Amino acid sequence: EEGSDGKCISVEWIKISELRGHTRRIRDTWYDSKTQSLFTCSKDKTIQMWKFSESISSDKKMVGMSVFKHKEVVHYLAYDTNKSILVCGMSNGVMLKSISDDRQSVHDKETILKLPNITCVMYDVARSLLFCGHSKSISIWKLNNLSDYNMVHELTGLTSEVRILMYDPEEDILYTSSGTFSEPIAVWKNISTN
């Protein structure tokens, strides 16, 4: 790494822990700094919540883990700390899962948004916006709570399948891509007044 004076700065990383529990490939991870929790999902059809000690030091240790088994493979995870909701993207929809107040376990409360041909999912915690890529469209949802959500917009007429979504909440810009070299990255700007 280079410092402001152009000289090289030494950066050293050490492994402080290993987390084991999944039996197949991990699909996604989400770290929530407020709750000191790491969420992971795998092709083994489980979601695991790893709880860490409060100390931010080299001796940070895992102090608990919850496992949630699911019927489908979850490909995408996000956690909304304010709403205590885990957002899980699957190929046939999005599952919204309630997390307990102590953030140590997963509740049975859940809602499934059955959406066709999900190719990717992105959730913006700051605005509670859920972006879902489909075969040739993108649906945008406002998530108020586990039972109160609505589609606020749909981007249609795309020429290829959406595989990658990235949202910039400060500029209100959405970047999308098919993930192939032949297709350009599309940049979408929200121009609505509200």
Side-chain angles (χ1 to χ4, degrees), residues 182-194:
S182 61
E183 292 283 329
I185 296 170
V187 182
W188 307 80
K189 173 77 175 158
N190 183 355
I191 58 171
S192 34
T193 54
N194 51 357

Side-chain angles (χ1 to χ4, degrees), residues 21-47:
H22 287 295
T23 58
R24 297 201 54 205
R25 188 174 75 144
I26 293 173
R27 300 291 301 173
D28 197 15
T29 61
W30 180 277
Y31 182 73
D32 182 64
S33 59
K34 188 174 179 182
T35 63
Q36 297 281 305
S37 298
L38 175 71
F39 297 88
T40 58
C41 61
S42 164
K43 287 191 83 169
D44 65 8
K45 299 182 182 177
T46 65
I47 298 166

Side-chain angles (χ1 to χ4, degrees), residues 78-80 83-87 96-99 143 145-146:
Y79 180 63
D80 190 326
K83 294 176 176 48
S84 297
I85 293 175
L86 186 63
V87 177
L96 308 174
K97 189 87 176 148
S98 176
I99 302 292
L143 173 62
N145 59 48
L146 203 60

Side-chain angles (χ1 to χ4, degrees), residues 1-190:
E1 188 174 316
E2 195 174 291
S4 60
D5 61 357
K7 293 184 180 177
C8 190
I9 299 172
S10 177
V11 177
E12 187 175 347
W13 291 80
I14 61 168
K15 179 169 49 172
I16 59 171
S17 186
E18 288 185 356
L19 307 176
R20 297 183 187 274
H22 287 295
T23 58
R24 297 201 54 205
R25 188 174 75 144
I26 293 173
R27 300 291 301 173
D28 197 15
T29 61
W30 180 277
Y31 182 73
D32 182 64
S33 59
K34 188 174 179 182
T35 63
Q36 297 281 305
S37 298
L38 175 71
F39 297 88
T40 58
C41 61
S42 164
K43 287 191 83 169
D44 65 8
K45 299 182 182 177
T46 65
I47 298 166
Q48 299 194 15
M49 181 174 69
W50 312 81
K51 183 79 174 162
F52 293 92
S53 63
E54 296 298 321
S55 64
I56 309 293
S57 66
S58 62
D59 62 347
K60 185 174 188 169
K61 302 285 188 236
M62 185 188 72
V63 294
M65 179 185 79
S66 296
V67 178
F68 168 67
K69 295 185 180 187
H70 197 270
K71 297 174 190 170
E72 303 286 330
V73 173
V74 175
H75 301 281
Y76 171 84
L77 288 174
Y79 180 63
D80 190 326
T81 306
N82 301 325
K83 294 176 176 48
S84 297
I85 293 175
L86 186 63
V87 177
C88 310
M90 306 168 296
S91 58
N92 64 346
V94 176
M95 177 179 58
L96 308 174
K97 189 87 176 148
S98 176
I99 302 292
S100 70
D101 290 337
D102 64 2
R103 286 155 177 86
Q104 294 285 341
S105 61
V106 179
H107 277 197
D108 289 333
K109 294 181 190 173
E110 68 181 35
T111 300
I112 306 267
L113 286 95
K114 293 214 179 270
L115 303 171
N117 305 318
I118 295 278
T119 55
C120 59
V121 176
M122 194 264 156
Y123 183 70
D124 177 57
V125 174
R127 294 196 181 183
S128 301
L129 290 176
L130 175 65
F131 300 86
C132 299
H134 304 278
S135 292
K136 293 188 178 179
S137 67
I138 300 164
S139 58
I140 304 171
W141 299 75
K142 177 71 173 172
L143 173 62
N144 297 313
N145 59 48
L146 203 60
S147 58
D148 183 11
Y149 50 86
N150 58 313
M151 189 167 71
V152 294
H153 197 74
E154 186 174 22
L155 305 173
T156 59
L158 282 70
T159 57
S160 61
E161 185 173 81
V162 179
R163 286 279 176 197
I164 301 168
L165 292 165
M166 182 55 61
Y167 177 65
D168 177 354
E170 290 181 20
E171 298 295 327
D172 211 6
I173 291 177
L174 178 66
Y175 301 91
T176 65
S177 172
S178 67
T180 64
F181 70 90
S182 61
E183 292 283 329
I185 296 170
V187 182
W188 307 80
K189 173 77 175 158
N190 183 355

